[in-house]
Amino acid sequence: MSTIFDRLRGRRLTGVGTIGLIIVSLVVILAIIGPYIAPHDAIQHNLKARYAPLGYTDPEHGTYWLGTDQLGRDILSRIIAGCRVSVIVSIFAVFIAGSIGVSYGLIAGFVGGWVDQIMMRIADALLSIPFIVLVVAISGVVGAGIVTLILILGFTGWVTYARVTRGEVLVAKELDYVIAATVVGQSKVRIMFQHILPNVMSSAVVLAALQVGVTIIAESSLSFLGLGVQPPSVTWGLMLADGRASIGSAWWMTTFPGVAITIVVLGVVFLGDWMRDVLDPRLRGE
Amino acid sequence: MAAYVIRRLFISIPTVFLVVTAVFFAFQVIPGDAARMYAGDQASVAAVEAIRVELGLDQPVSVQYLSYLKRLVSGDLGISFITRRPVTVEIGTRFANTAILAFGAIILSTLLGIFMGVVAALNRGKWLDYFLSVLAVGGISIPVFWLGLLLMFLFSLKLHWLPTAGNATWQHYIMPTFCLSVYSVAFITRMARSTVLDVLGSDYVRTAQSKGLREKIINMRHVVRNALIPLITTVGLRFGYMLGGAVVTETVFAWPGVGRLLVIAVTQRDIPVVQGILLVFASMFLLVNIIVDVLYSVADPRLSY
């Protein structure tokens, strides 16, 4: 891992890479300190100021810069609060999926033979059910909530990592120094962790960076459908679901959460693209 | 060729079997009494027990699994808990709507994505490349359901050009198909651009250039043709995304398809319908990818099976 950071640090950030880094850092900071700097309480109702437009000033509660929703809750504060769920869900889900996928691919590729055949057949079977379809089916039936959502996204999203890692392991196994390590009689476990794993990590890290964006969209889609995070938790997907009915009259309710999701995913994609170009140009298109 | 198709179909049998098994057991471990769900909340204990026997839910899991397999082979996906109609009927009446949407979107995104990617790559570093690349990054970042809401707001509520929901006329198809395509157009654009750039740097293109061939001929005959081949596989995998995206898109546009049925069935905990849809989607995905693999072997003469 440390070598990956060294390699990233050694490279100058490109223009889009910088934009990506700024957006992602901002979202992470907001996720941590958001509630302390938000102008209003994100779940505080104000029934006298329902559907208030942009910049509406309430004598008691102050100004709602981005308007309010159907319960008079401040849109800006809710967008800031929504950062937390997006960051928590995407980081943990990607971490779980990545850990499972990398271990799975490492074992399948390293052991090879019929074990590899069976393991990849199982992975193919899981891949044949579209990701969102699988997640919708499970979360709807198991029940929703942040922890459940993280587990579901984590335990269903690992297949891509497994396939990529396995491919990399098959290449790494043939490298001269890995063969040399085998010849001098190093143990298989040691070869796997010390020689092969570092070789396949950069692909996994790049893939994880790009998967964060996919996970953020998956989380907001599920919450939008009512199958993800539940109120009173604040998420951008739920905000969009709230605003859907009044899109003609209170356009701000759907516009700003959508902009928030798009900008964050854009930032993640920019950062991920830059990491890919530095670490692993072969992954283009994954 | 025929032998390859048959072998390819044969290889996918274990995959289908695994999917079926996973779908069966996944819904065994989740909490909830299926007989109670089927009978409804008001049903008496005796009625629930009668249904339990009727559905075979009193049998051991292994027996249930075998009878589940037996029913599947004869094309029976069970009965919906809510409507009491066969799951095959529930899915069958909506299947065409989703298939049209998904295939329409996959064709649109393949053509448009390849076109945009090739144009961007051949104009590398010029403003057209930047413009298309920015468009592509935007396309993969925007959530489908938000895009759908925006389009609906603009074209239905403000401009009154297009209908909001349903699938009664051909105008109804425009927004959902477009919406479902956006992510894949962007994805394929990015990928086509990078594969074309790879080919542009290859030895045989340099040879063609040093032979003094006209640039247009090189681009068409050598670059684009060779770059498109690896893209074929991506299109197959994109199809899985189309089915997933259909779930969200159909919900936004109240499209009477299988994706929306899934969301409804899931909220009503109509497990036979959910299981049926998972199996139908998985089979569609596997079938499309077999077709794609066969096309791939036709397109790339270097591969022989």
Side-chain angles (χ1 to χ4, degrees), chain A residues 206-254:
Chain A
V206 171
L207 195 58
L210 296 169
Q211 282 297 109
V212 168
V214 175
T215 312
I216 290 175
I217 290 188
E219 178 273 313
S220 59
S221 307
L222 280 171
S223 300
F224 175 75
L225 295 174
L227 301 169
V229 179
Q230 300 293 312
S233 294
V234 185
T235 80
W236 300 328
L238 274 175
M239 291 176 72
L240 279 163
D242 283 341
R244 193 182 168 189
S246 41
I247 187 166
S249 50
W251 55 270
W252 50 90
M253 282 177 67
T254 34

Tab-separated table of all heavy atoms in Angstrom, chain A residues 206-254:
chain	number	residue	atom	x	y	z
A	206	VAL	N	-7.189	1.466	-7.972
A	206	VAL	CA	-7.792	2.273	-9.031
A	206	VAL	C	-9.256	1.902	-9.217
A	206	VAL	O	-10.146	2.753	-9.296
A	206	VAL	CB	-7.017	2.083	-10.355
A	206	VAL	CG1	-7.749	2.739	-11.503
A	206	VAL	CG2	-5.625	2.654	-10.231
A	207	LEU	N	-9.504	0.604	-9.239
A	207	LEU	CA	-10.871	0.129	-9.406
A	207	LEU	C	-11.743	0.623	-8.252
A	207	LEU	O	-12.871	1.081	-8.448
A	207	LEU	CB	-10.874	-1.403	-9.448
A	207	LEU	CG	-12.142	-2.054	-9.960
A	207	LEU	CD1	-12.446	-1.554	-11.360
A	207	LEU	CD2	-11.966	-3.557	-9.981
A	208	ALA	N	-11.205	0.566	-7.028
A	208	ALA	CA	-11.948	1.019	-5.854
A	208	ALA	C	-12.300	2.491	-5.985
A	208	ALA	O	-13.429	2.900	-5.707
A	208	ALA	CB	-11.137	0.772	-4.589
A	209	ALA	N	-11.331	3.295	-6.457
A	209	ALA	CA	-11.590	4.724	-6.611
A	209	ALA	C	-12.754	4.947	-7.566
A	209	ALA	O	-13.658	5.749	-7.308
A	209	ALA	CB	-10.342	5.435	-7.120
A	210	LEU	N	-12.750	4.205	-8.681
A	210	LEU	CA	-13.822	4.384	-9.657
A	210	LEU	C	-15.142	3.812	-9.138
A	210	LEU	O	-16.216	4.320	-9.442
A	210	LEU	CB	-13.442	3.731	-10.989
A	210	LEU	CG	-12.219	4.369	-11.676
A	210	LEU	CD1	-11.744	3.528	-12.838
A	210	LEU	CD2	-12.541	5.780	-12.152
A	211	GLN	N	-15.050	2.760	-8.314
A	211	GLN	CA	-16.273	2.146	-7.775
A	211	GLN	C	-16.967	3.035	-6.744
A	211	GLN	O	-18.155	2.896	-6.506
A	211	GLN	CB	-15.963	0.787	-7.130
A	211	GLN	CG	-15.780	-0.349	-8.104
A	211	GLN	CD	-17.037	-0.637	-8.897
A	211	GLN	OE1	-17.110	-0.361	-10.084
A	211	GLN	NE2	-18.062	-1.180	-8.259
A	212	VAL	N	-16.202	3.942	-6.115
A	212	VAL	CA	-16.825	4.848	-5.153
A	212	VAL	C	-17.951	5.632	-5.825
A	212	VAL	O	-19.044	5.775	-5.278
A	212	VAL	CB	-15.778	5.803	-4.531
A	212	VAL	CG1	-16.443	6.926	-3.772
A	212	VAL	CG2	-14.853	5.038	-3.595
A	213	GLY	N	-17.683	6.097	-7.042
A	213	GLY	CA	-18.712	6.829	-7.777
A	213	GLY	C	-19.939	5.968	-8.046
A	213	GLY	O	-21.080	6.397	-7.828
A	214	VAL	N	-19.690	4.739	-8.492
A	214	VAL	CA	-20.791	3.817	-8.769
A	214	VAL	C	-21.608	3.566	-7.503
A	214	VAL	O	-22.843	3.536	-7.522
A	214	VAL	CB	-20.243	2.475	-9.330
A	214	VAL	CG1	-21.352	1.464	-9.517
A	214	VAL	CG2	-19.515	2.719	-10.642
A	215	THR	N	-20.901	3.426	-6.376
A	215	THR	CA	-21.583	3.142	-5.112
A	215	THR	C	-22.432	4.331	-4.658
A	215	THR	O	-23.540	4.144	-4.157
A	215	THR	CB	-20.556	2.784	-4.025
A	215	THR	OG1	-19.660	1.814	-4.555
A	215	THR	CG2	-21.229	2.229	-2.788
A	216	ILE	N	-21.901	5.546	-4.842
A	216	ILE	CA	-22.682	6.726	-4.447
A	216	ILE	C	-23.979	6.780	-5.250
A	216	ILE	O	-25.060	7.029	-4.701
A	216	ILE	CB	-21.848	8.015	-4.648
A	216	ILE	CG1	-20.715	8.068	-3.621
A	216	ILE	CG2	-22.725	9.262	-4.519
A	216	ILE	CD1	-19.758	9.224	-3.807
A	217	ILE	N	-23.881	6.507	-6.548
A	217	ILE	CA	-25.098	6.523	-7.372
A	217	ILE	C	-26.036	5.391	-6.973
A	217	ILE	O	-27.254	5.578	-6.888
A	217	ILE	CB	-24.735	6.453	-8.876
A	217	ILE	CG1	-24.075	7.775	-9.281
A	217	ILE	CG2	-25.966	6.190	-9.725
A	217	ILE	CD1	-23.833	7.951	-10.749
A	218	ALA	N	-25.474	4.210	-6.670
A	218	ALA	CA	-26.326	3.080	-6.260
A	218	ALA	C	-27.066	3.410	-4.966
A	218	ALA	O	-28.266	3.157	-4.847
A	218	ALA	CB	-25.476	1.824	-6.077
A	219	GLU	N	-26.340	3.989	-4.007
A	219	GLU	CA	-26.973	4.342	-2.722
A	219	GLU	C	-28.099	5.343	-2.943
A	219	GLU	O	-29.198	5.179	-2.411
A	219	GLU	CB	-25.916	4.905	-1.763
A	219	GLU	CG	-26.446	5.352	-0.409
A	219	GLU	CD	-26.947	6.779	-0.406
A	219	GLU	OE1	-26.271	7.681	-0.920
A	219	GLU	OE2	-28.074	7.005	0.093
A	220	SER	N	-27.833	6.387	-3.758
A	220	SER	CA	-28.870	7.400	-3.939
A	220	SER	C	-30.049	6.840	-4.728
A	220	SER	O	-31.203	7.179	-4.452
A	220	SER	CB	-28.301	8.657	-4.594
A	220	SER	OG	-27.741	8.358	-5.838
A	221	SER	N	-29.768	5.931	-5.689
A	221	SER	CA	-30.874	5.312	-6.429
A	221	SER	C	-31.764	4.513	-5.499
A	221	SER	O	-32.993	4.609	-5.550
A	221	SER	CB	-30.355	4.372	-7.514
A	221	SER	OG	-29.441	5.019	-8.346
A	222	LEU	N	-31.143	3.719	-4.625
A	222	LEU	CA	-31.924	2.889	-3.709
A	222	LEU	C	-32.724	3.747	-2.749
A	222	LEU	O	-33.897	3.487	-2.481
A	222	LEU	CB	-31.001	1.970	-2.920
A	222	LEU	CG	-30.544	0.743	-3.664
A	222	LEU	CD1	-29.473	0.030	-2.885
A	222	LEU	CD2	-31.724	-0.184	-3.908
A	223	SER	N	-32.088	4.789	-2.216
A	223	SER	CA	-32.806	5.664	-1.289
A	223	SER	C	-33.946	6.363	-2.015
A	223	SER	O	-35.026	6.550	-1.461
A	223	SER	CB	-31.848	6.693	-0.685
A	223	SER	OG	-30.814	6.029	0.006
A	224	PHE	N	-33.710	6.731	-3.263
A	224	PHE	CA	-34.753	7.352	-4.073
A	224	PHE	C	-35.940	6.409	-4.233
A	224	PHE	O	-37.101	6.814	-4.150
A	224	PHE	CB	-34.189	7.723	-5.447
A	224	PHE	CG	-35.197	8.258	-6.424
A	224	PHE	CD1	-35.697	9.537	-6.302
A	224	PHE	CD2	-35.656	7.471	-7.473
A	224	PHE	CE1	-36.637	10.034	-7.194
A	224	PHE	CE2	-36.598	7.955	-8.365
A	224	PHE	CZ	-37.082	9.244	-8.231
A	225	LEU	N	-35.661	5.123	-4.429
A	225	LEU	CA	-36.733	4.137	-4.607
A	225	LEU	C	-37.403	3.777	-3.280
A	225	LEU	O	-38.367	3.026	-3.251
A	225	LEU	CB	-36.188	2.861	-5.257
A	225	LEU	CG	-35.668	2.986	-6.694
A	225	LEU	CD1	-35.025	1.686	-7.133
A	225	LEU	CD2	-36.796	3.355	-7.644
A	226	GLY	N	-36.867	4.309	-2.170
A	226	GLY	CA	-37.423	3.992	-0.858
A	226	GLY	C	-36.894	2.683	-0.294
A	226	GLY	O	-37.430	2.157	0.671
A	227	LEU	N	-35.828	2.140	-0.919
A	227	LEU	CA	-35.328	0.840	-0.488
A	227	LEU	C	-33.969	0.944	0.190
A	227	LEU	O	-33.369	-0.056	0.542
A	227	LEU	CB	-35.205	-0.093	-1.701
A	227	LEU	CG	-36.488	-0.339	-2.480
A	227	LEU	CD1	-36.186	-1.040	-3.789
A	227	LEU	CD2	-37.451	-1.167	-1.660
A	228	GLY	N	-33.499	2.166	0.366
A	228	GLY	CA	-32.169	2.321	0.948
A	228	GLY	C	-32.244	2.919	2.334
A	228	GLY	O	-32.917	2.389	3.212
A	229	VAL	N	-31.553	4.026	2.498
A	229	VAL	CA	-31.527	4.714	3.787
A	229	VAL	C	-32.915	5.286	4.067
A	229	VAL	O	-33.583	5.793	3.178
A	229	VAL	CB	-30.470	5.837	3.734
A	229	VAL	CG1	-30.436	6.598	5.038
A	229	VAL	CG2	-29.105	5.249	3.415
A	230	GLN	N	-33.345	5.151	5.312
A	230	GLN	CA	-34.696	5.594	5.667
A	230	GLN	C	-34.663	6.903	6.465
A	230	GLN	O	-33.707	7.171	7.167
A	230	GLN	CB	-35.386	4.518	6.510
A	230	GLN	CG	-35.527	3.185	5.810
A	230	GLN	CD	-36.468	3.241	4.622
A	230	GLN	OE1	-37.573	3.766	4.727
A	230	GLN	NE2	-36.035	2.727	3.480
A	231	PRO	N	-35.734	7.713	6.378
A	231	PRO	CA	-35.826	8.894	7.224
A	231	PRO	C	-35.843	8.450	8.694
A	231	PRO	O	-36.302	7.340	8.962
A	231	PRO	CB	-37.162	9.526	6.838
A	231	PRO	CG	-37.684	8.740	5.673
A	231	PRO	CD	-36.898	7.513	5.533
A	232	PRO	N	-35.371	9.252	9.642
A	232	PRO	CA	-34.945	10.652	9.498
A	232	PRO	C	-33.511	10.841	9.002
A	232	PRO	O	-33.076	11.984	8.967
A	232	PRO	CB	-35.081	11.185	10.918
A	232	PRO	CG	-34.780	10.003	11.774
A	232	PRO	CD	-35.337	8.826	11.046
A	233	SER	N	-32.797	9.746	8.645
A	233	SER	CA	-31.477	9.963	8.058
A	233	SER	C	-31.628	10.813	6.803
A	233	SER	O	-32.618	10.684	6.089
A	233	SER	CB	-30.837	8.629	7.669
A	233	SER	OG	-30.575	7.869	8.807
A	234	VAL	N	-30.646	11.656	6.548
A	234	VAL	CA	-30.736	12.553	5.405
A	234	VAL	C	-29.818	12.069	4.292
A	234	VAL	O	-28.623	11.890	4.505
A	234	VAL	CB	-30.318	13.983	5.818
A	234	VAL	CG1	-30.536	14.939	4.657
A	234	VAL	CG2	-31.103	14.431	7.031
A	235	THR	N	-30.393	11.783	3.126
A	235	THR	CA	-29.559	11.437	1.971
A	235	THR	C	-30.092	12.169	0.749
A	235	THR	O	-31.260	12.539	0.686
A	235	THR	CB	-29.579	9.931	1.645
A	235	THR	OG1	-30.771	9.626	0.922
A	235	THR	CG2	-29.515	9.083	2.877
A	236	TRP	N	-29.202	12.331	-0.224
A	236	TRP	CA	-29.590	13.059	-1.441
A	236	TRP	C	-30.666	12.298	-2.207
A	236	TRP	O	-31.544	12.902	-2.811
A	236	TRP	CB	-28.348	13.306	-2.300
A	236	TRP	CG	-27.311	14.126	-1.581
A	236	TRP	CD1	-27.568	15.106	-0.659
A	236	TRP	CD2	-25.899	14.052	-1.698
A	236	TRP	NE1	-26.399	15.643	-0.217
A	236	TRP	CE2	-25.344	15.027	-0.832
A	236	TRP	CE3	-25.038	13.277	-2.464
A	236	TRP	CZ2	-23.975	15.224	-0.708
A	236	TRP	CZ3	-23.673	13.483	-2.345
A	236	TRP	CH2	-23.151	14.451	-1.483
A	237	GLY	N	-30.591	10.980	-2.185
A	237	GLY	CA	-31.599	10.180	-2.888
A	237	GLY	C	-32.988	10.391	-2.299
A	237	GLY	O	-33.967	10.563	-3.015
A	238	LEU	N	-33.069	10.401	-0.968
A	238	LEU	CA	-34.353	10.643	-0.307
A	238	LEU	C	-34.865	12.047	-0.608
A	238	LEU	O	-36.068	12.257	-0.771
A	238	LEU	CB	-34.199	10.481	1.207
A	238	LEU	CG	-34.345	9.088	1.798
A	238	LEU	CD1	-34.028	9.124	3.281
A	238	LEU	CD2	-35.770	8.584	1.584
A	239	MET	N	-33.953	13.014	-0.636
A	239	MET	CA	-34.364	14.386	-0.930
A	239	MET	C	-34.986	14.476	-2.317
A	239	MET	O	-35.987	15.164	-2.524
A	239	MET	CB	-33.160	15.335	-0.847
A	239	MET	CG	-32.632	15.515	0.567
A	239	MET	SD	-31.150	16.550	0.608
A	239	MET	CE	-31.852	18.160	0.254
A	240	LEU	N	-34.389	13.748	-3.270
A	240	LEU	CA	-34.939	13.743	-4.625
A	240	LEU	C	-36.311	13.086	-4.654
A	240	LEU	O	-37.213	13.533	-5.357
A	240	LEU	CB	-33.983	13.026	-5.579
A	240	LEU	CG	-32.824	13.879	-6.076
A	240	LEU	CD1	-31.717	13.030	-6.657
A	240	LEU	CD2	-33.333	14.850	-7.133
A	241	ALA	N	-36.462	12.030	-3.859
A	241	ALA	CA	-37.770	11.367	-3.792
A	241	ALA	C	-38.813	12.318	-3.214
A	241	ALA	O	-39.946	12.375	-3.688
A	241	ALA	CB	-37.660	10.099	-2.945
A	242	ASP	N	-38.408	13.095	-2.197
A	242	ASP	CA	-39.321	14.082	-1.596
A	242	ASP	C	-39.745	15.135	-2.615
A	242	ASP	O	-40.896	15.565	-2.641
A	242	ASP	CB	-38.626	14.814	-0.430
A	242	ASP	CG	-38.562	13.951	0.824
A	242	ASP	OD1	-39.340	12.987	0.895
A	242	ASP	OD2	-37.735	14.256	1.702
A	243	GLY	N	-38.789	15.559	-3.433
A	243	GLY	CA	-39.047	16.670	-4.337
A	243	GLY	C	-39.774	16.278	-5.601
A	243	GLY	O	-40.291	17.123	-6.324
A	244	ARG	N	-39.829	14.961	-5.850
A	244	ARG	CA	-40.370	14.460	-7.103
A	244	ARG	C	-41.801	14.952	-7.367
A	244	ARG	O	-42.128	15.382	-8.466
A	244	ARG	CB	-40.347	12.941	-7.055
A	244	ARG	CG	-40.581	12.297	-8.357
A	244	ARG	CD	-40.577	10.810	-8.173
A	244	ARG	NE	-41.087	10.177	-9.364
A	244	ARG	CZ	-41.357	8.897	-9.450
A	244	ARG	NH1	-41.169	8.113	-8.416
A	244	ARG	NH2	-41.821	8.395	-10.564
A	245	ALA	N	-42.639	14.919	-6.327
A	245	ALA	CA	-44.049	15.262	-6.504
A	245	ALA	C	-44.236	16.747	-6.816
A	245	ALA	O	-45.189	17.118	-7.487
A	245	ALA	CB	-44.838	14.877	-5.257
A	246	SER	N	-43.322	17.573	-6.312
A	246	SER	CA	-43.518	19.019	-6.502
A	246	SER	C	-42.478	19.603	-7.448
A	246	SER	O	-42.090	20.757	-7.321
A	246	SER	CB	-43.466	19.722	-5.152
A	246	SER	OG	-42.446	19.173	-4.359
A	247	ILE	N	-42.056	18.793	-8.418
A	247	ILE	CA	-40.996	19.253	-9.314
A	247	ILE	C	-41.430	20.476	-10.121
A	247	ILE	O	-40.622	21.345	-10.430
A	247	ILE	CB	-40.537	18.099	-10.246
A	247	ILE	CG1	-39.323	18.509	-11.058
A	247	ILE	CG2	-41.649	17.620	-11.147
A	247	ILE	CD1	-38.611	17.377	-11.736
A	248	GLY	N	-42.720	20.577	-10.408
A	248	GLY	CA	-43.201	21.707	-11.192
A	248	GLY	C	-43.230	23.007	-10.404
A	248	GLY	O	-43.021	24.086	-10.938
A	249	SER	N	-43.482	22.913	-9.078
A	249	SER	CA	-43.623	24.127	-8.278
A	249	SER	C	-42.366	24.443	-7.473
A	249	SER	O	-41.952	25.595	-7.391
A	249	SER	CB	-44.825	23.993	-7.343
A	249	SER	OG	-44.752	22.760	-6.654
A	250	ALA	N	-41.771	23.425	-6.840
A	250	ALA	CA	-40.585	23.661	-6.009
A	250	ALA	C	-39.377	22.987	-6.656
A	250	ALA	O	-38.872	21.979	-6.176
A	250	ALA	CB	-40.810	23.148	-4.595
A	251	TRP	N	-38.884	23.585	-7.748
A	251	TRP	CA	-37.819	22.963	-8.533
A	251	TRP	C	-36.533	22.793	-7.730
A	251	TRP	O	-35.729	21.915	-8.003
A	251	TRP	CB	-37.545	23.781	-9.793
A	251	TRP	CG	-37.228	25.219	-9.526
A	251	TRP	CD1	-38.121	26.240	-9.453
A	251	TRP	CD2	-35.945	25.776	-9.253
A	251	TRP	NE1	-37.476	27.408	-9.150
A	251	TRP	CE2	-36.139	27.162	-9.022
A	251	TRP	CE3	-34.649	25.262	-9.183
A	251	TRP	CZ2	-35.083	28.016	-8.718
A	251	TRP	CZ3	-33.602	26.118	-8.888
A	251	TRP	CH2	-33.824	27.490	-8.662
A	252	TRP	N	-36.342	23.679	-6.723
A	252	TRP	CA	-35.098	23.607	-5.943
A	252	TRP	C	-34.976	22.311	-5.158
A	252	TRP	O	-33.878	21.865	-4.862
A	252	TRP	CB	-35.003	24.811	-4.989
A	252	TRP	CG	-36.229	25.031	-4.163
A	252	TRP	CD1	-36.493	24.504	-2.937
A	252	TRP	CD2	-37.364	25.825	-4.512
A	252	TRP	NE1	-37.719	24.907	-2.490
A	252	TRP	CE2	-38.282	25.722	-3.443
A	252	TRP	CE3	-37.709	26.600	-5.625
A	252	TRP	CZ2	-39.524	26.370	-3.442
A	252	TRP	CZ3	-38.937	27.254	-5.620
A	252	TRP	CH2	-39.821	27.128	-4.548
A	253	MET	N	-36.101	21.688	-4.847
A	253	MET	CA	-36.047	20.447	-4.069
A	253	MET	C	-35.384	19.310	-4.829
A	253	MET	O	-34.756	18.433	-4.244
A	253	MET	CB	-37.457	20.017	-3.656
A	253	MET	CG	-37.995	20.806	-2.477
A	253	MET	SD	-39.676	20.311	-2.084
A	253	MET	CE	-39.406	18.646	-1.512
A	254	THR	N	-35.550	19.290	-6.171
A	254	THR	CA	-34.924	18.227	-6.957
A	254	THR	C	-33.606	18.674	-7.583
A	254	THR	O	-32.737	17.843	-7.847
A	254	THR	CB	-35.851	17.755	-8.097
A	254	THR	OG1	-36.585	18.869	-8.563
A	254	THR	CG2	-36.773	16.673	-7.628
